[in-house]
Amino acid sequence: AQSVTQPDIHITVSEGASLELRCNYSYGATPYLFWYVQSPGQGLQLLLKYFSGDTLVQGIKGFEAEFKRSQSSFNLRKPSVHWSDAAEYFCAVGAPGNQFYFGTGTSLTVIP
Amino acid sequence: DTGVSQNPRHKITKRGQNVTFRCDPISEHNRLYWYRQTLGQGPEFLTYFQNEAQLEKSRLLSDRFSAERPKGSFSTLEIQRTEQGDSAMYLCASSQGSNYGYTFGSGTRLTVV
């Protein structure tokens, strides 16, 4: 069965600190993996995506993610968090042009 | 190109009433998706279209829900006889065929009272 697990419901970090958001997936085929960010009351914005090739992918806003097939993981990282990064983050897995399966999200709070 | 547009942004309706939402995708995108998101959850797939053809429907899409994309451009999602459990954010997304990743709209938040 296809599923995504985001083990951390809520994370709090200090501004300037590093960040890692965890994502584990289960998918029956070659996974296409995504991270989206959602601000309150808004739609989802694509941060980055992985399809193939280099397992470390760069995204917008200074985010990066690393695909580890052996661990079925696709963790999101940022070296230095800014207050504007406070939002809800969703990991998703899917196939091109087909439905995506989303995790339940991780809420990020940034302390000044 | 203004992205994916959804209207209305908010809708409050009484239980038992019908509601209709509209989604205008990015013009060159041939695939259009509807998702539902409840509080504290990630988006859940409802249905998707390739051009005007509805290719897949989730079991979440009960017979009170219907979606159309009559000319392969905009889409509507109608909920008949709304129930309180229908209260959610309804998200529309579009993609261009083999292009990967969706572009989401800002959603329509439905509140059934």
Side-chain angles (χ1 to χ4, degrees):
Chain A
Q2 284 77 269
S3 67
V4 174
T5 301
Q6 293 182 246
D8 304 304
I9 296 173
H10 186 241
I11 285 182
T12 300
V13 299
S14 298
E15 192 169 16
S18 63
L19 171 71
E20 182 169 27
L21 303 182
R22 296 182 291 165
C23 172
N24 293 94
Y25 67 89
S26 173
Y27 198 68
T30 301
Y32 293 77
L33 295 154
F34 308 85
W35 275 98
Y36 283 87
V37 61
Q38 185 178 36
S39 297
Q42 299 298 311
L44 285 81
Q45 181 184 21
L46 180 66
L47 284 176
L48 48 78
K49 56 194 176 191
Y50 171 79
F51 304 130
S52 65
D54 192 345
T55 56
L56 184 64
V57 294
Q58 302 297 319
I60 62 170
K61 304 184 179 185
F63 285 93
E64 66 178 27
E66 185 172 13
F67 170 58
K68 293 185 177 180
R69 184 184 298 274
S70 62
Q71 299 178 17
S72 298
S73 70
F74 188 57
N75 294 347
L76 182 71
R77 300 194 293 250
K78 187 170 185 178
S80 177
V81 170
H82 188 262
W83 64 267
S84 61
D85 294 324
E88 189 87 16
Y89 291 80
F90 293 95
C91 181
V93 65
N98 292 322
Q99 67 165 294
F100 288 5
Y101 298 86
F102 286 84
T104 52
T106 297
S107 176
L108 175 65
T109 297
V110 180
I111 299 174
Chain B
D1 181 7
T2 58
V4 178
S5 176
Q6 291 188 249
N7 288 288
R9 289 296 308 276
H10 304 274
K11 178 71 176 178
I12 300 174
T13 190
K14 292 184 178 180
R15 189 174 50 188
Q17 298 293 305
N18 298 345
V19 294
T20 300
F21 311 139
R22 175 175 171 130
C23 172
D24 289 89
I26 293 173
S27 57
E28 62 267 27
H29 286 184
N30 61 353
R31 291 187 182 235
L32 185 148
Y33 308 80
W34 286 99
Y35 280 76
R36 182 177 70 184
Q37 185 179 22
T38 53
L39 278 177
Q41 299 298 316
E44 296 174 293
F45 171 77
L46 293 178
T47 188
Y48 91 90
F49 294 83
Q50 180 165 315
N51 299 314
E52 66 276 10
Q54 188 172 16
L55 296 185
E56 189 173 350
K57 293 194 289 186
S58 162
R59 58 180 172 77
L60 294 176
L61 212 65
S62 76
D63 56 8
R64 296 185 297 106
F65 288 69
S66 63
E68 295 182 342
R69 193 182 184 198
K71 295 183 179 180
S73 56
F74 73 91
S75 175
T76 58
L77 178 67
E78 181 182 17
I79 308 174
Q80 296 182 325
R81 306 181 302 281
T82 52
E83 301 173 356
Q84 286 189 320
D86 297 331
S87 296
M89 174 80 88
Y90 290 84
L91 293 163
C92 176
S94 68
S95 71
Q96 174 53 25
S98 59
N99 190 17
Y100 310 121
Y102 301 163
T103 301
F104 278 91
S106 297
T108 294
R109 179 164 295 284
L110 173 66
T111 302
V112 181
V113 298

